Amino acid sequence: MTMMEKITGKDEQLRDSHAVVPIPDRLKKNEKIVIITADDTEDIEFFYPYYRLTEEGYTVDVVTPDGGKFEAKHGLGLNTSKSISAVRPQDYVLLYIPGGQAPAKLRKNEKVLNFVKEFARSGKPIAAICHGPQVLISADLVKGKQVAAWPEVENEIKDAGGIFVNEALVEDGQLITGRKPGDLHRHLYGVIEYLRGTVSNQSREQRRAS
């Protein structure tokens, strides 16, 4: 084995080590969440919700356009993901879209957009952070909605008929959005609160109006 093969093999092992271990039965919920991403996603924006939602007992399926391994922007990643063609929106209670450079690729993929649109028709929550809302823009989901995102996405949101909001957590209907990596703790709190059913429709409207 050459030195390059040894280095490559070590990198693959490190990447694979980030996968979550099976959830103990006593903690496991009978519900699944889907995270859609691709190469060059922002590492922390993928792994924070991936681990946090698993910690809550949800089975989290990681989906990429073609399945298999992917590498995040700063070198982390996973060796295994499911293909967008192999999953169904009706099997999940939440769709999560991390940011980074991945959304720029995802928004050009017709299968990804069709999945997102079908998921949206179900009325179930869709969470996106940083550049993640770019996928929602391309799926025609932001018109008339308040949306948080990375500042560079502000004009895109407005051009699509949405309302840009510079806050860590913005809930409008089924959309739960945030601006940047530093918002993740607040954003995930809002996502989990929504999934637990502890946020009433009235309080959502109050947040929207504030």
Side-chain angles (χ1 to χ4, degrees), residues 20-33 47-60 93-94 185 187-198:
V20 296
V21 299
I23 303 168
D25 287 341
R26 72 181 187 280
L27 302 178
K28 191 172 184 178
K29 292 181 172 66
N30 292 320
E31 293 177 319
K32 297 198 297 182
I33 287 168
F47 279 104
Y48 191 111
Y50 175 60
Y51 289 135
R52 185 67 187 88
L53 293 168
T54 302
E55 180 185 23
E56 284 293 309
Y58 294 97
T59 296
V60 179
V93 297
L94 170 77
H185 66 297
H187 189 238
L188 264 293
Y189 175 83
V191 169
I192 291 168
E193 194 176 39
Y194 196 119
L195 288 170
R196 288 173 176 169
T198 55

Side-chain angles (χ1 to χ4, degrees), residues 97-148:
I97 306 173
Q101 297 171 12
K105 303 171 186 178
L106 295 173
R107 71 190 309 188
K108 298 175 183 177
N109 187 299
E110 202 62 34
K111 291 181 179 179
V112 169
L113 293 182
N114 287 339
F115 182 99
V116 173
K117 290 175 182 178
E118 186 177 347
F119 193 95
R121 286 193 288 270
S122 73
K124 292 179 290 189
I126 300 174
I129 193 164
C130 197
H131 285 78
Q134 287 181 316
V135 179
L136 306 183
I137 292 168
S138 294
D140 299 320
L141 297 178
V142 305
K143 186 176 182 179
K145 298 289 187 179
Q146 295 193 60
V147 180

Side-chain angles (χ1 to χ4, degrees), residues 157-171:
I157 291 170
K158 291 179 178 178
D159 289 344
I163 304 158
F164 177 78
V165 182
N166 186 23
E167 293 181 5
L169 171 65
V170 176
E171 296 176 357

Side-chain angles (χ1 to χ4, degrees), residues 18-19 42-52 72 76-78:
H18 297 295
E42 182 64 41
D43 303 52
I44 192 171
E45 290 174 3
F46 167 75
F47 279 104
Y48 191 111
Y50 175 60
Y51 289 135
R52 185 67 187 88
L76 300 182
L78 295 176

Side-chain angles (χ1 to χ4, degrees), residues 58-71:
Y58 294 97
T59 296
V60 179
D61 283 349
V62 181
V63 171
T64 54
D66 300 314
K69 67 181 180 180
F70 74 93
E71 185 171 318

